[in-house]
Amino acid sequence: MVERPAERYGLIHELLAAGGGGFNAIYLCHVAGVSRSGYYRWLSCAPARAQREKADYEQHLLIKDIFEKKNRSAGWRVIKMNLERQAVIMNHKKIRRLMKKYSLITRIRRRNPYKWLAKATQEHTTAPNVLQRRFDQGTPYKAFSTDITYLYDGRGQRSYLSIIKDLASGEIVAHCVSASLGMDLALNVLTQTVTRIGRKKLKGALIHSDQGFHYTHPIYIKRLAELGITQSMSRKGNCLDNAPVESFFGHMKDELDITYCASLDQVKAAIDEYIHNYNHHRYQWERKKMAPVEYRSHLLAG
């Protein structure tokens, strides 16, 4: 059903352009329930409408380019921030309108219902939730979040990814990819973090995780104690307590395609590239529209 007057004017114009079927504009306007003056006014504005349509199309191409590069998972905030990095200022209402007009529908990220959970053995111990969802940290290298996830490559093989994320800047400060789920996954990223940031700076810092067996293992607990790092854990079965890492993994799985990978080395290379781009080029609305590394420098300079 054609409801809007502009759409009715368009149909009248198409009929008249095709000969009108023996009817004139006066009769067609009467049948369509619109005024003749309104039709002619609409007709006189055709050049301006064409100009607006051309501008919409050209601007939508800028949006579409970012949308496609983000694997069709970018919302208006991500698009607006990336446009500003290209010196293109566009109102968020226009971005939303053009996305709707040209059917650039953002994919909705769904939780993975099959996330692997390990039961702790009797020798494993948990830590209290010291972080208490205080994710909005103001100083880099003082509070971290860590977790492990998995991805399937083109062979159907599972690879495991362990990361440590700085809660202040959002930067992924360390990551490790492995074909096995051994303790090295958790210990290697910890070693990387110490090597990169320095043992002295990490003393007194906090690291938050879930209650997975890596983090409740005596070896891991002992290593944190040696480094002077406070351990914090989510409540059992409450993934929101570790939301920053869960969010990163969710976006990564939406945006990173490793189905072309035919070896673990290719998987590692793809993840390395993704994390580099995330740290240096993933502009974040809540971090002054800066990428994590840029925001970290901003915080340290302040």
Side-chain angles (χ1 to χ4, degrees):
M1 181 180 294
V2 180
E3 295 290 347
R4 296 173 60 236
E7 293 175 339
R8 299 184 187 188
Y9 297 147
L11 287 176
I12 292 169
H13 183 65
E14 289 178 12
L15 284 171
L16 291 173
F23 302 108
N24 59 23
I26 298 174
Y27 178 77
L28 291 174
C29 285
H30 173 72
V31 171
V34 295
S35 69
R36 183 177 52 160
S37 62
Y39 169 68
Y40 285 116
R41 188 164 55 250
W42 174 86
L43 202 60
S44 68
C45 293
R49 280 198 309 278
Q51 189 63 32
R52 286 196 300 271
E53 282 296 318
K54 181 182 178 183
D56 273 4
Y57 181 77
E58 290 174 349
Q59 289 176 323
H60 121 272
L61 290 178
L62 297 175
I63 294 171
K64 184 179 180 182
D65 180 59
I66 297 168
F67 187 72
E68 296 291 348
K69 285 179 178 177
K70 298 294 182 181
N71 201 22
R72 305 184 68 82
S73 63
W76 70 263
R77 288 183 176 85
V78 171
I79 289 171
K80 181 173 175 60
M81 289 187 290
N82 278 268
L83 285 173
E84 289 177 359
R85 292 290 171 143
Q86 301 172 26
V88 178
I89 306 302
M90 195 179 298
N91 185 282
H92 74 276
K93 292 181 180 179
K94 176 180 281 190
I95 295 173
R96 293 172 69 178
R97 176 177 66 81
L98 292 177
M99 289 182 74
K100 181 178 180 181
K101 180 176 180 178
Y102 292 98
S103 300
L104 301 180
I105 302 170
T106 305
R107 297 191 322 183
I108 298 174
R109 183 159 48 88
R110 294 179 173 83
R111 295 186 184 278
N112 184 348
Y114 304 107
K115 184 181 178 182
W116 180 84
L117 295 173
K119 292 183 179 179
T121 64
Q122 290 184 350
E123 66 174 350
H124 289 215
T125 55
T126 60
N129 187 350
V130 180
L131 184 63
Q132 290 292 329
R133 298 191 188 178
R134 291 189 292 269
F135 305 134
D136 189 16
Q137 299 287 321
T139 306
Y141 306 150
K142 295 300 179 184
F144 302 89
S145 186
T146 185
D147 200 0
I148 296 169
T149 192
Y150 62 86
L151 307 95
Y152 287 101
D153 61 23
R155 306 165 298 167
Q157 295 294 312
R158 182 182 284 187
S159 298
Y160 298 94
L161 168 65
S162 174
I163 69 166
I164 290 181
K165 181 177 185 179
D166 179 52
L167 293 177
S169 66
E171 180 185 5
I172 308 302
V173 297
H175 69 280
C176 176
V177 181
S178 175
S180 62
L181 199 55
M183 277 300 298
D184 284 348
L185 267 172
L187 295 173
N188 282 348
V189 290
L190 198 55
T191 300
Q192 287 180 39
T193 303
V194 174
T195 300
R196 179 181 169 187
I197 299 172
R199 186 165 183 159
K200 186 175 179 180
K201 287 184 180 179
L202 287 174
K203 189 172 183 179
L206 179 144
I207 188 163
H208 185 84
S209 69
D210 61 18
Q211 295 185 21
F213 84 87
H214 296 84
Y215 310 116
T216 59
H217 197 286
I219 294 176
Y220 188 82
I221 294 170
K222 181 182 178 183
R223 181 62 177 145
L224 290 182
E226 290 170 349
L227 293 168
I229 296 175
T230 300
Q231 190 171 19
S232 173
M233 286 186 184
S234 303
R235 292 165 294 175
K236 191 171 184 179
N238 197 323
C239 61
L240 293 179
D241 286 348
N242 204 15
V245 168
E246 295 287 348
S247 176
F248 171 79
F249 284 153
H251 286 297
M252 182 191 69
K253 290 183 178 182
D254 279 347
E255 299 165 4
L256 177 62
D257 180 16
I258 61 167
T259 55
Y260 71 89
C261 296
S263 68
L264 183 61
D265 285 341
Q266 289 182 351
V267 173
K268 288 180 177 179
I271 291 175
D272 287 349
E273 182 181 10
Y274 179 85
I275 290 178
H276 175 82
N277 288 332
Y278 179 89
N279 282 338
H280 293 270
H281 306 295
R282 182 59 172 263
Y283 313 119
Q284 299 183 19
W285 192 266
E286 68 278 9
R287 291 188 168 95
K288 297 183 181 294
K289 304 177 185 177
M290 298 180 185
V293 168
E294 185 180 14
Y295 190 61
R296 182 241 297 160
S297 298
H298 166 76
L299 291 175
L300 291 174

